[in-house]
Amino acid sequence: MNKDILFLTGIEDFSTIIEKNSYYVDKTSYLKELFMSGSEVLNALFIRPRRFGKTLNLDLIRQFCRLNYQNPGDKSYQQKLFIDNGRNLAVAGDEYKELREKIMGELPVISISFKTVEGACFQQAVSQLVYKVGLLYDEFLFLIESSKQDLDDIEKYKKNKSFCKDKQDELDNPQNLNRAISILGTAIPQIASMLYKEYGRKVIVIIDEYDVPLQKAVIAKEPYYGDMLSIIRTLSGNIFKKDNEPWLYKGIVSGCLRIAHQSVFTDANNFTTYGMNREPYTGFFGFTEEETQKLLADCGLSEKENEVKEWYDGYRFDDKHIYCPWSLISYCDEVLHGSTDKPQPFWVNTSGNDLITMFTDNSMEAHNAENIDKLQKLLDGETIDISIKEFTTYPDLRNRVSFDVFMTLMLHTGYVTFAEGSELTGKVTVKIPNQEVQACFNEKREYLYGEDNPYWYNQALKLVDLLIENKTEEAQALISSMLKEFLSIRNSGDELYYHGFMVGVIGIASAAKGISFHEEIESGDGFPDIVLKNDATDTVTVIEFKKGRNERLERIRCAEDAAKQIIDKRYAEPYLAEKYTNVYGIGIGFGGKDCYIQSLGNLSH
């Protein structure tokens, strides 16, 4: 192993990676396509899952193009960063000479990231945006000292900068809030226009993670999606509008999702979206197989290639297999400098998962038996067919969205990918890409059926009430319904599975209800599966399980056998001796995705 290799995991600043001699997978060849292809594409939207290198690549573009504002003819910064660094980056080659002459260090660049913009309410989120814009005013402060600028523009610049600094935390005042919204819509065009006037050169505008504020607006305790959408639409319209000012050279935007309805980019001029299947940029984000093989070889980890492929490969971007760069770099860093050489799910706790949780919390589609079966197939390593649906608006996730829309969201966010041989539009076939994402699914599954999920938790609370009150017909229907939803039903090989299912469900809810829960406690001549005790109502319910074949008569027979065992082994005797008023005996027969309950009634009578 080559332990001398340095990884700056999580660093998304291109210059830091180069200057500190950290490992870098060269993506500079794509600069030629972006700026010299002769394409009429003015503005580009790159859609990729979280942690696929969007921020680093956008910073690469910024650093390569950015003009030296104090000395516009000086390209020494880029020369040192891209050419004379001993790395033999693609952009240093002879075939990129024209690109270097025309683009490298030649253009003003305005770059802003919305990655961290969020708030519990609208005012807090606007405050975050105002802070971001305030940093832009600080960056280009030299413009107010220029004799080339109009005095009115300079005065407006000063006032806006002062507001961003002094009023950022005073947006509860409606007047301040309205002023802030106005500034957000005009700040970048204002600065860009002044840069164009200053240098006579068109401006590149970069916006990273444009959709994060919209996502956060939906999941907030007090959702404010409509208000945030208005800000982002106004901002993008003023920057990328069809009748744009002469100052715009190119707009470059990144995000996780493209919103179709109420499009953010309705008024944008010549905006092209490059999704996971849109050449020529399918290899621009993430690591290709060749790049991954080189990385492992450089680390002295080539023997780990198969294991790495199983855990971090599997994403299909057009005809390329792409590895998650965050995960791969994290893995190599851990093996070389950490305490284990075992693959881990590094991606599981990264951003972008809130929408998945929201769907499972709020949509009945997440609990539809047919859809649960499809999710189970994914968990089993199989493929499923879906129809790609244009994602409409984030608030849809608080309502009943279709399973196909949900799966399209999963595709965009990296939870599933196109299967080999699948079409890339329309009716497609998808699968879980690798072991790492499998771990993500397993974690989500535990959440989906855990006490933190209100839908599942409320079902469990209801079931405990029904069992402690001996309402067996309703309990039977509810258990069967829950079994149909439970993702792991395919693993029901023996009685222990159903035992674990019931113990998990009832155990969680019993504590919340103040009901004593006992699993296989010694009672009479044996150990009943579950005993529930509620001293407040002077009630005990003794429950025994049996598993049979997936046939109705077999389930009935098993339930009768389970009930008989309660009698034969005298499971209820200790509670009868303690003079409980209500002592119920319940036998449950399981088979497939259904159950049958046989009640012994109140044994104390």
Side-chain angles (χ1 to χ4, degrees), residues 235-251:
L235 183 150
S236 65
N238 288 343
I239 297 171
F240 309 119
K241 60 187 176 182
K242 295 176 181 177
D243 300 322
N244 57 295
E245 299 286 343
W247 49 259
L248 182 64
Y249 181 81
K250 187 181 287 288

Side-chain angles (χ1 to χ4, degrees), residues 6-60:
L6 173 65
F7 295 105
L8 295 179
T9 309
I11 297 298
E12 297 169 319
D13 179 87
F14 179 79
S15 62
T16 300
I17 289 174
I18 298 300
E19 291 167 358
K20 291 188 176 297
N21 201 31
S22 176
Y23 195 91
Y24 175 67
V25 174
D26 186 8
K27 298 292 184 178
T28 61
S29 64
Y30 289 93
L31 293 170
K32 186 175 181 180
E33 177 63 39
L34 190 61
F35 292 105
M36 303 292 291
S37 65
S39 168
E40 294 183 357
V41 173
L42 178 61
N43 302 305
L45 170 61
F46 292 107
I47 297 298
R48 290 296 187 279
R50 307 289 182 221
R51 299 298 188 181
F52 265 75
K54 297 189 297 293
T55 300
L56 177 58
N57 284 353
L58 265 57
D59 190 65
L60 157 70

Side-chain angles (χ1 to χ4, degrees), residues 28-29 32 90-101:
T28 61
S29 64
K32 186 175 181 180
V91 75
D94 292 341
E95 64 269 36
Y96 294 86
K97 182 179 179 181
E98 185 181 4
L99 172 70
R100 296 196 298 270
E101 290 175 349

Side-chain angles (χ1 to χ4, degrees), residues 421-486:
S422 170
E423 297 293 330
L424 303 178
T425 58
K427 190 81 170 180
V428 303
T429 304
V430 298
K431 64 175 184 176
I432 293 177
N434 51 46
Q435 288 296 317
E436 180 181 38
V437 182
Q438 181 85 38
C440 297
F441 262 92
N442 289 339
E443 181 171 286
K444 286 298 174 185
R445 174 174 62 183
E446 292 173 8
Y447 165 78
L448 182 58
Y449 301 110
E451 60 183 307
D452 293 331
N453 183 304
Y455 179 91
W456 184 254
Y457 191 38
N458 288 335
Q459 298 282 81
L461 292 173
K462 183 178 179 181
L463 178 59
V464 168
D465 283 338
L466 293 176
L467 292 173
I468 202 72
E469 295 169 13
N470 196 42
K471 295 180 179 179
T472 53
E473 289 186 7
E474 295 174 63
Q476 177 179 305
L478 181 56
I479 293 172
S480 293
S481 173
M482 296 172 81
L483 283 172
K484 287 179 174 64
E485 296 174 12
F486 198 66

Side-chain angles (χ1 to χ4, degrees), residues 240-297:
F240 309 119
K241 60 187 176 182
K242 295 176 181 177
D243 300 322
N244 57 295
E245 299 286 343
W247 49 259
L248 182 64
Y249 181 81
K250 187 181 287 288
I252 301 170
V253 182
S254 79
C256 183
L257 298 172
R258 179 183 181 181
I259 304 172
H261 185 56
Q262 301 173 327
S263 174
V264 172
F265 305 106
T266 299
D267 297 324
N269 181 30
N270 198 7
F271 226 108
T272 301
T273 299
Y274 293 98
M276 292 177 282
N277 311 311
R278 183 73 180 267
E279 290 288 8
Y281 298 105
T282 51
F284 189 29
F285 302 93
F287 294 167
T288 65
E289 286 188 291
E290 294 77 12
E291 290 167 343
T292 299
Q293 289 168 358
K294 183 179 184 303
L295 168 61
L296 294 176

Side-chain angles (χ1 to χ4, degrees), residues 308-328:
V308 164
K309 184 178 182 67
E310 181 180 344
W311 268 81
Y312 306 119
D313 183 21
Y315 292 98
R316 182 185 166 200
F317 293 179
D318 197 37
D319 62 345
K320 294 182 176 66
H321 282 265
I322 301 294
Y323 292 70
C324 176
W326 169 268
S327 301
L328 199 52

Side-chain angles (χ1 to χ4, degrees), residues 40 63 82-84 86 155 214 224 235 240 256-257 271 305 337 352 355 359 370 393 403 428 432 449 517 524 526 578:
E40 294 183 357
Q63 303 271 20
F82 289 91
I83 314 303
D84 302 330
E155 187 63 24
L214 298 172
Y224 48 89
L235 183 150
F240 309 119
C256 183
L257 298 172
F271 226 108
E305 186 174 328
H337 308 120
L355 298 178
F359 176 81
E370 181 181 352
T393 62
F403 186 74
V428 303
I432 293 177
Y449 301 110
F517 167 81
E578 293 178 27

